[in-house]
C-alpha cells in the first residue's frame, strides 16, 4: 500500500470519527495531489561542494551507495585538471576511448554519440579540458533502470554534480543547486497532525465555555 493510500484511509477514518471535517479532508486531498504532481517533475538533485581535489581527491556516492565516483588531480596536457575513477556500478561518459566531456546545458542520456564505461582506480580517466570549466556524464543502474547524472570540474576542484532520481530520464549539465524537499508522506502527516491539534484545541475551548456557563 502506497503512502498516499494509507493517508487517504487515515483521513477517511478521522472523518468517520468526527476528528476531521469533510471540508478539511477535501483540502488535504487537493494539497496532496498538487504535491504529488510537483514531486514527479522535481526529480533532479544538484549539489555544489566546491571541493578541492588535493590529496586522495573527492568521492561522491549515488544510488544509496551502489555507485562511486572519485575525482583526483591530473595533468590534462592543457594545465592542472582532474581525472575520474569509478566503483560499484558507476560509469562515466566515454568517446573514442577517453572520457567524453560536455559544455553547460548539454543533455546526458542514452541517446548521444558517446557511451558509458567504468574507470578503475588503478586507471582513472583524465577529463580532457578540465583545466577550465568542464562537465562529464555519469550513469549508474538500479532495479528501475539507468540513472543519469553529471559532474562539473574546474582545474583541481569539483564544482558541482547532479543526478536524476527518475530512471531512464535525461539530465542537463549545469543546473542550479536544488534544496532537498520533504516527501509527500512527510508533508501529509504534518498536515494531519496540525489538523488534529487544531481540533483538540477547539474542543478544549468549547469545554471551557460550557464550564464557564455552568
Amino acid at each position: 500500500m502506497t503512502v498516499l493510500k494509507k493517508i487517504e484511509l487515515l483521513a477517511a477514518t478521522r472523518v468517520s470519527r468526527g476528528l476531521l471535517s469533510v471540508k478539511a479532508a477535501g483540502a488535504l486531498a487537493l494539497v496532496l495531489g498538487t504535491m504529488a504532481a510537483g514531486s514527479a517533475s522535481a526529480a533532479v538533485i544538484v549539489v555544489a561542494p566546491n571541493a578541492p581535489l588535493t590529496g586522495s581527491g573527492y568521492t561522491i556516492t549515488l544510488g544509496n551507495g551502489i555507485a562511486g565516483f572519485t575525482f583526483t588531480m591530473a595533468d590534462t596536457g592543457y594545465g592542472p585538471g582532474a581525472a575520474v575513477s569509478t566503483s560499484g556500478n558507476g560509469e562515466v561518459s566515454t568517446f573514442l576511448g577517453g572520457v567524453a566531456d560536455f559544455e553547460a546545458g548539454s543533455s546526458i542520456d542514452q541517446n548521444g554519440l558517446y557511451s558509458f564505461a567504468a574507470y578503475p582506480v588503478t586507471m582513472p580517466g583524465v577529463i580532457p579540458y578540465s583545466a577550465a570549466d568542464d562537465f562529464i556524464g555519469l550513469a549508474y543502474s538500479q532495479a528501475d533502470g539507468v540513472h543519469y547524472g553529471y559532474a562539473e570540474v574546474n582545474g583541481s576542484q569539483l564544482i558541482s554534480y547532479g543526478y536524476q532520481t527518475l530512471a531512464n530520464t535525461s539530465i542537463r549539465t549545469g543546473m542550479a543547486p536544488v534544496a532537498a524537499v520533504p516527501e509527500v508522506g512527510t508533508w501529509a502527516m504534518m498536515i494531519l497532525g496540525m489538523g488534529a491539534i487544531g481540533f483538540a484545541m477547539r474542543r478544549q475551548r468549547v469545554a471551557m465555555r460550557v464550564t464557564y456557563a455552568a
Side-chain angles (χ1 to χ4, degrees), residues 132-151:
D133 200 50
D134 204 7
F135 297 86
I136 64 169
L138 311 176
Y140 62 94
S141 298
Q142 290 187 302
D144 57 347
V146 180
H147 293 254
Y148 296 99
Y150 72 85

Side-chain angles (χ1 to χ4, degrees), residues 45-51 58 60 71 133-136 138 150-154 157-163 173-177:
I45 304 298
V46 180
V47 182
N50 292 303
Y58 190 90
I60 62 177
F71 296 84
D133 200 50
D134 204 7
F135 297 86
I136 64 169
L138 311 176
Y150 72 85
E152 178 188 6
V153 292
N154 191 330
Q157 189 170 19
L158 176 64
I159 304 300
S160 67
Y161 63 92
Y163 60 95
T173 58
M175 300 183 70

Side-chain angles (χ1 to χ4, degrees), residues 13-88:
T13 301
R14 293 199 171 192
V15 169
S16 65
R17 294 178 179 177
L19 299 178
L20 186 68
S21 69
V22 175
K23 185 176 181 181
L28 174 62
L30 179 61
V31 170
L32 293 181
T34 303
M35 290 167 57
S39 64
S41 61
V44 175
I45 304 298
V46 180
V47 182
N50 292 303
L53 305 181
T54 55
S56 58
Y58 190 90
T59 299
I60 62 177
T61 56
L62 303 178
N64 295 320
I66 65 172
F69 305 87
T70 299
F71 296 84
T72 53
M73 295 179 63
D75 183 3
T76 65
Y78 302 97
V84 60
S85 60
T86 60
S87 59

